């Protein structure tokens, strides 16, 4: 006998159920894998995904964590389940994250004479040290008007693009990293930015059999000579504030003695105190 309208409605997947299934598919996880990570049973997860069981707040948080969602995505999942967000989203100049922002400023200063920046999730510049001027050398004024996007600046033909010796390889590193982030955390803005940046790259043959991935330094022409720079990314892995969790620090390091010396001389010329 066909189920009654009321019974069918009770079993209809909720927005939360659909979101859990969507994220699980995106992560390519089975129900059994996700249930094990979240500390529940496959049967219970099946009931949640079918809309037959309404999870408690703690279960929603565990599922979000097991799915490796960002704090913003975890808040959104909680809302679809009918719960209040768990993580604050402070303004960048707010008192709640001021100690962390001050610590970042100290790190940027301590990294001199090498350039370093703090950027937001879509590449928007938040903080930079004095050596950042090396990256803006010769850039069009419109690219330096707030909000500056450091990813666009890095590849744009009126930004760093013409000065990047290995633009094809470096540009692929930037765009493919952006696409990987967008695939893991769907964001139309990231997709659009990746497509825009890809349009700035030179057309060329695909990598050959000796290709070593992106294990090469950024090679950047400057007025004082060519720099060879390695980069490192740092994020707040244990942050409980959305704003802080979405920031990352990108620090540039010299890949050879010549680059280190050139950066020390450049710092001395602008009156900055080189790091010891």
């Amino acid at each position: 006998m066909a189920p009654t309208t009321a019974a069918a409605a009770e079993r209809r997947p909720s927005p939360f159920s659909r979101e859990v299934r969507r994220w699980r598919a995106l992560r390519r996880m089975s129900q059994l894998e996700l249930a094990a990570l979240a500390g529940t049973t496959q049967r219970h997860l099946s009931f949640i995904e079918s809309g037959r069981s309404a999870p408690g707040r703690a279960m929603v948080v565990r599922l979000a964590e097991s799915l490796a969602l960002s704090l913003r995505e975890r808040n959104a999942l909680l809302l679809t389940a009918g719960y209040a967000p768990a993580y604050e989203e402070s303004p960048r100049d707010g008192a709640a994250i001021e100690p962390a922002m001050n610590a970042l400023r100290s790190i940027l200063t301590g990294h001199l004479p090498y350039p370093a920046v703090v950027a937001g999730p879509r590449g928007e510049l938040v903080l930079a040290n004095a050596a950042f001027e090396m990256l803006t050398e010769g850039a069009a004024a419109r690219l330096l008007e707030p909000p500056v996007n450091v990813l666009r600046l890095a590849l744009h033909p009126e930004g760093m693009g013409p000065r990047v010796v290995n633009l094809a390889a470096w540009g692929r590193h930037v765009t493919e990293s952006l696409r990987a982030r967008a695939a893991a955390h769907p964001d139309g803005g990231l997709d659009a930015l990746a497509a825009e940046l890809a349009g700035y790259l030179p057309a060329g043959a695909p990598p050959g059999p000796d290709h070593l991935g992106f294990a090469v330094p950024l090679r950047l022409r400057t007025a004082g000579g060519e720099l060879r720079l390695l980069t490192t990314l740092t994020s707040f892995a244990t942050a409980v504030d959305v704003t802080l969790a979405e920031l990352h620090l990108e620090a540039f390091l010299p890949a050879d003695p010549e680059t280190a010396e050139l950066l020390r001389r450049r710092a001395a010329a602008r009156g900055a105190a080189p790091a010891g």
Side-chain angles (χ1 to χ4, degrees):
M1 185 173 67
T4 65
T5 302
E10 287 178 3
R11 296 184 181 182
R12 188 176 301 133
S14 66
F16 172 77
S17 300
R18 291 193 292 270
E19 277 297 282
V20 171
R21 286 204 308 273
R22 181 178 73 86
W23 278 113
R24 183 170 61 78
L26 190 66
R27 297 292 186 256
R28 299 182 178 181
M29 297 171 68
S30 68
Q31 280 188 343
L32 182 60
E33 289 170 326
L34 178 55
L37 286 172
T40 189
T41 65
Q42 182 179 359
R43 178 182 174 83
H44 187 204
L45 179 57
S46 175
F47 276 33
I48 289 174
E49 290 193 358
S50 67
R52 296 173 66 186
S53 178
R57 187 175 186 276
M59 176 54 68
V60 177
V61 171
R62 292 209 305 273
L63 287 170
E65 184 175 29
S66 300
L67 288 164
L69 304 192
S70 70
L71 299 194
R72 184 178 297 280
E73 291 161 347
R74 295 181 195 191
N75 276 347
L77 192 65
L78 281 162
L79 284 170
T80 64
Y83 297 108
Y87 307 98
E88 295 291 333
E89 184 175 356
S90 303
R92 288 177 182 162
D93 58 353
I97 63 171
E98 183 178 5
M101 298 299 288
N102 286 338
L104 283 171
R105 293 184 183 93
S106 296
I107 292 171
L108 293 179
T109 300
H111 193 67
L112 291 169
Y114 313 132
V117 301
V118 173
R122 295 183 184 178
E124 61 275 21
L125 182 66
V126 177
L127 299 170
N129 67 7
F132 178 64
E133 55 85 21
M134 177 203 75
L135 305 181
T136 64
E137 183 179 287
R142 65 186 184 88
L143 294 178
L144 302 179
E145 294 175 358
V148 175
N149 188 292
V150 293
L151 298 176
R152 182 176 291 113
L153 177 67
L155 302 182
H156 199 283
E158 295 181 18
M160 288 169 55
R163 297 192 293 126
V164 178
V165 177
N166 54 342
L167 180 61
W170 179 255
R172 283 198 306 273
H173 160 66
V174 174
T175 56
E176 292 190 11
S177 295
L178 202 55
R179 287 187 178 119
R181 197 188 321 159
H185 304 281
D187 180 339
L190 288 181
D191 290 328
L193 181 59
E196 175 195 339
L197 299 184
Y200 301 144
L201 304 183
D210 297 327
H211 179 61
L212 297 177
F214 301 112
V216 293
L218 165 65
R219 297 176 56 194
L220 184 66
R221 300 184 189 93
T222 72
E226 182 181 310
L227 301 174
R228 294 172 63 86
L229 297 161
L230 304 174
T231 62
T232 178
L233 286 175
T234 303
S235 61
F236 290 89
T238 58
V240 292
D241 187 284
V242 174
T243 302
L244 198 56
E246 290 182 340
L247 298 181
H248 67 267
L249 185 152
E250 183 165 12
F252 294 80
L253 299 167
D256 54 40
E258 293 76 17
T259 295
E261 178 57 28
L262 195 157
L263 289 171
R264 282 195 292 267
R265 291 201 307 268
R266 190 159 182 149
R270 66 172 177 268

